[in-house]
Amino acid sequence: LAKTTQPISMDSYEGQEVNITCSHNNIATNDYITWYQQFPSQGPRFIIQGYKTKVTNEVASLFIPADRKSSTLSLPRVSLSDTAVYYCLVGGSSGGYNKLIFGAGTRLAVHP
Amino acid sequence: AAGVIQSPRHLIKEKRETATLKCYPIPRHDTVYWYQQGPGQDPQFLISFYEKMQSDKGSIPDRFSAQQFSDYHSELNMSSLELGDSALYFCASSGDGQETQYFGPGTRLLVL
């Protein structure tokens, strides 16, 4: 499974756009990139998943360059409630059932 | 939408006792995963089941065992509990044509 590297922590203010970049230099051809959000003492919550280019849903966008060695999670107009740990995970393949290997996530703190 | 259900939500045990954690996956999900998250740590994969068969195994102590039943719910059995077993235990499920894992609220185990 590909190892990921992301910032340990980030600070932002309400209303700003936050971009969290994750490096995954050893990503395999059939690996997907998935981001989870976790609040204290709660289970990780699925945010978004992608394979290449750009994916957007109601809460975030995921940008993946052509070489797929990195990805950027974009949170538009964050609020205080977006303060959480964000995990970037790489692995799995369509139709597979694979464990998630959590690395050190990014602790995002949103300030008033 | 129905989510993953875990019970109990909180559990207090003494050293050397046993504990059983239960997980009820999202309807139509056939794969269950167990994760352990110690204080201040990232979630660590323990074990997974697909169609009632063990599909993968991670850093699960020999004192722990798990199984998945015919109704797809799963139980994590923990024996000879140690202080270091105090953690949040999350169950996740996937299936219904998708591999995205959805996490439950977790069981907080405290071993005294």
Side-chain angles (χ1 to χ4, degrees), chain B residues 31-108:
Chain B
T31 307
V32 168
Y33 309 79
W34 286 97
Y35 295 84
Q36 177 192 58
Q37 187 172 27
Q41 299 181 358
D42 305 305
Q44 299 295 314
F45 170 74
L46 291 178
I47 195 168
S48 63
F49 293 87
Y50 167 61
E51 284 290 345
K52 291 152 282 183
M53 299 289 290
Q54 181 180 307
S55 56
D56 204 348
K57 193 173 183 179
S59 52
I60 183 171
D62 292 339
R63 300 177 289 107
F64 294 6
S65 65
Q67 57 182 323
Q68 185 179 32
F69 295 84
S70 59
D71 63 352
Y72 295 104
H73 94 272
S74 178
E75 295 184 3
L76 177 66
N77 300 293
M78 311 160 71
S79 62
S80 303
L81 288 169
E82 302 174 355
L83 297 179
D85 296 328
S86 296
L88 272 166
Y89 290 84
F90 294 109
C91 170
S93 72
S94 68
D96 198 18
Q98 298 183 18
E99 112 174 38
T100 301
Q101 294 183 32
Y102 294 91
F103 284 75
T107 294
R108 181 177 292 280

Side-chain angles (χ1 to χ4, degrees), chain A residues 19-55:
Chain A
N19 296 306
I20 306 174
T21 298
C22 178
S23 297
H24 28 80
N25 291 317
N26 298 320
I27 189 169
T29 302
N30 58 355
D31 282 344
Y32 281 73
I33 300 157
T34 309
W35 286 80
Y36 281 82
Q37 174 194 56
Q38 187 179 30
F39 298 112
S41 299
Q42 294 187 25
R45 183 176 78 101
F46 171 81
I47 299 175
I48 198 166
Q49 183 180 69
Y51 183 79
K52 63 180 179 180
T53 63
K54 177 183 175 182
V55 180

Side-chain angles (χ1 to χ4, degrees), chain A residues 52-107:
Chain A
K52 63 180 179 180
T53 63
K54 177 183 175 182
V55 180
T56 297
N57 61 22
E58 62 276 10
V59 298
S61 294
L62 178 59
F63 299 90
I64 306 169
D67 65 5
R68 302 199 333 118
K69 293 184 182 300
S70 67
S71 59
T72 298
L73 174 72
S74 181
L75 305 172
R77 298 180 297 282
V78 294
S79 63
L80 296 177
S81 63
D82 292 316
T83 294
V85 177
Y86 292 82
Y87 291 99
C88 164
L89 298 109
V90 173
S93 59
S94 179
Y97 299 92
N98 296 294
K99 58 181 178 276
L100 295 176
I101 305 297
F102 287 83
T106 297
R107 295 184 177 278

